[in-house]
Amino acid sequence: MAHFEELLDRYADVVVKIGVNIQEGQDLMITAPISAADFVRRVTKKAYLAGAKNVYFRWGDDDLTLTRYTYAPDESFKEFPQWEADGMTKLAEQGAAFMSFLVPSLDLLKDVDPERIAVQQKVAAKALETYRQYTMSDRVSWTVISVPSEKWAKKVFPNLAPEQAVEKLWEQIFFLTRADQEDPVAAWQKHQEALAEKVAYMNRKAYKKLHYKAPGTDLTIELPEGHAWVGGGGKNEKGIDFMANIPTEEIFTLPVKTGVNGTVSATKPLNYNGNLIENFSFTFKDGKIIDFKAEAGYETLKKLIEIDEGARYLGEVALVPHDSPVSQSGLLFYNALYDENASCHLAIGQAYPCFKDGASLTSEDLEKRGMNKSLVHVDFMVGSDQLDVDGITENGDVEPLLRGGLWVI
Ligand code: ZN
Ligand code: ZN
């Protein structure tokens, strides 16, 4: 095993060279919690060495967030600073790269009025809509990564002392992001090729529908005409490769907004805005959530699907085998970036424009093909060792894709 400092360096290489793949003269915006400052400093140095022009920062802090939600007046949650939204849009227009740290703030806002959170969430999403279009359509390079915080590590390893829990979580992160391999950049290139094979298979098949069956799940999802499966990295509008999530084990596409029918049960808790939703399920009719249940976090879930019309429909269909490295770790990370790579998942809300002729389609075309629009995009996990997924062809032939959560193609 390499020395800890060496592993941190390799991980920083992965996020700079594979994640955003920073180019000579390019700006980089890093959004991160203050708890990640040490690693952000390391990444910043790597980014300059790789040719970055300017590296900018948007810092967050759990304590300050909680202070605001506890003491700020109601009116403040109806606003989002326009200068911040304009700044993000401007950087995207100039072709900057964007790196976001997803470090879960577990139960941080559990005693806060969910209405305050919902109002702020909606206003922020609205203000950042133009910026988000740049990332969701892959016009700019962007990546989401994570580093341990003490609180998060304690949640994943509740029986360890804080220091050991953090150490253990780093170990997992190095393993899952391939930073523990001799040449992580080469390891990522190999991984990318394996995902590309699955993508090619699914695109050749161009299934009309997928059918999911598992305990508490019997769901049919229609796929739009000309849909494209994607995975293992994208290209920005200048043709530069980048990796939107590190790690990533998924291949995904979008559903027909009105083509989802049946019931699906989540197989992992969902951490949404610092609140945990557990043991939940949705029932769909013609794409719309017409019923839902949750043993914990019902109000949070209700607020989420009431944000706008699109939050009642699906925007992503992702397949991940149950033997993926994240899944093999046997851990529940309470962090979508990791948990979604252990499990087949779906997302409520905004879809990515995954079409073979995507770049030439207007937003009207996209809507006609069935792409969902929303201010939110929230992944939830449906995979398990009991999940079977079939592909249904145009002529109605049924072909097995996953059995017991594993690929059979
Ligand atoms: Zn996904
Ligand atoms: Zn997603």
Side-chain angles (χ1 to χ4, degrees):
M1 190 75 168
H3 190 267
F4 184 63
E5 289 292 316
E6 169 67 23
L7 290 167
L8 285 173
D9 255 355
R10 288 189 200 168
Y11 182 38
D13 271 335
V14 168
V15 302
V16 169
K17 292 181 182 159
I18 298 286
V20 284
N21 188 11
I22 206 82
Q23 301 291 300
E24 193 71 42
Q26 193 180 22
D27 286 334
L28 172 63
M29 169 57 91
I30 297 179
T31 301
I34 285 176
S35 64
D38 274 348
F39 189 68
V40 170
R41 292 185 191 110
R42 197 176 290 256
V43 166
T44 301
K45 182 177 163 192
K46 294 267 182 197
Y48 282 124
L49 288 173
K53 190 173 70 187
N54 267 304
V55 183
Y56 299 108
F57 311 94
R58 292 162 84 211
W59 294 106
D61 177 65
D62 275 1
D63 279 355
L64 294 180
T65 301
L66 183 58
T67 300
R68 175 170 177 234
Y69 274 104
T70 311
Y71 300 108
D74 276 336
E75 306 86 77
S76 82
F77 298 97
K78 297 176 187 146
E79 293 172 9
F80 186 88
Q82 195 58 43
W83 52 266
E84 187 176 349
D86 291 346
M88 293 298 273
T89 304
K90 193 91 200 151
L91 279 171
E93 283 168 4
Q94 292 166 356
F98 297 86
M99 183 185 294
S100 306
F101 284 62
L102 187 64
V103 182
S105 320
L106 297 146
D107 296 329
L108 179 71
L109 303 179
K110 67 177 187 319
D111 298 324
V112 170
D113 176 7
E115 183 64 18
R116 285 191 158 206
I117 304 170
V119 168
Q120 178 62 27
Q121 172 74 14
K122 191 166 176 170
V123 171
K126 190 97 206 140
L128 293 167
E129 202 172 3
T130 313
Y131 156 70
R132 205 184 45 156
Q133 279 163 3
Y134 272 90
T135 55
M136 286 196 83
S137 58
D138 285 356
R139 291 183 64 185
V140 293
S141 302
W142 59 284
T143 194
V144 182
I145 69 152
S146 198
V147 297
S149 69
E150 204 176 283
K151 210 172 152 197
W152 176 33
K154 275 294 288 173
K155 183 79 183 175
V156 182
F157 301 106
N159 299 323
L160 295 181
E163 212 171 296
Q164 269 101 43
V166 168
E167 203 175 296
K168 194 95 187 145
L169 188 51
W170 267 120
E171 220 173 82
Q172 284 297 326
I173 287 179
F174 293 145
F175 167 64
L176 298 171
T177 61
R178 298 172 170 78
D180 64 346
Q181 301 196 18
E182 205 53 54
D183 185 349
V185 173
W188 270 94
Q189 281 153 356
K190 203 170 141 222
H191 176 50
Q192 220 164 336
E193 283 163 25
L195 287 171
E197 268 176 41
K198 289 281 183 303
V199 163
Y201 180 91
M202 293 300 281
N203 282 336
R204 251 190 337 266
K205 288 287 184 179
Y207 289 111
K208 177 85 182 140
K209 287 178 182 171
L210 297 182
H211 181 232
Y212 288 61
K213 197 127 180 53
T217 292
D218 187 352
L219 186 76
T220 305
I221 299 177
E222 189 183 340
L223 302 177
E225 183 199 327
H227 70 269
W229 287 86
V230 293
K235 277 189 198 306
N236 70 19
E237 63 184 354
K238 295 192 178 110
I240 307 292
D241 289 313
F242 69 96
M243 195 70 69
N245 285 189
I246 290 189
T248 184
E249 306 288 339
E250 67 176 333
I251 66 163
F252 67 96
T253 189
L254 79 172
V256 172
K257 178 180 175 181
T258 54
V260 182
N261 284 286
T263 297
V264 64
S265 296
T267 50
K268 287 178 196 275
L270 167 63
N271 172 34
Y272 181 64
N273 283 342
N275 283 304
L276 215 54
I277 307 165
E278 294 179 273
N279 295 323
F280 59 103
S281 65
F282 298 112
T283 300
F284 295 87
K285 187 167 187 324
D286 299 330
K288 191 171 186 172
I289 295 172
I290 52 163
D291 192 21
F292 65 98
K293 296 188 175 72
E295 279 177 24
Y298 182 89
E299 276 308 308
T300 306
L301 188 58
K302 185 163 185 286
K303 286 270 187 281
L304 165 60
I305 68 168
E306 284 174 353
I307 281 186
D308 59 14
E309 171 70 10
R312 286 204 167 246
Y313 292 83
L314 292 185
E316 180 189 339
V317 183
L319 298 174
V320 181
H322 198 65
D323 60 355
S324 82
V326 187
S327 186
Q328 279 179 35
S329 76
L331 295 166
L332 182 59
F333 285 93
Y334 302 93
N335 181 341
L337 179 63
Y338 285 85
D339 290 330
E340 78 169 15
N341 285 304
S343 177
C344 286
H345 56 271
L346 302 168
I348 284 175
Q350 179 70 34
Y352 295 91
C354 302
F355 289 100
K356 286 171 182 160
D357 50 352
S360 64
L361 297 174
T362 64
S363 68
E364 261 179 16
D365 296 333
L366 292 169
E367 209 167 314
K368 247 185 243 157
R369 295 257 190 113
M371 177 174 151
N372 188 30
K373 278 187 70 173
S374 171
L375 292 172
V376 291
H377 174 101
V378 178
D379 298 284
F380 63 97
M381 315 311 151
V382 301
S384 72
D385 61 359
Q386 300 186 76
L387 174 67
D388 292 342
V389 179
D390 289 330
I392 302 170
T393 66
E394 192 74 56
N395 333 328
D397 294 340
V398 180
E399 302 178 351
L401 294 174
L402 283 95
R403 284 292 175 271
L406 300 180
W407 284 111
V408 288
I409 58 171

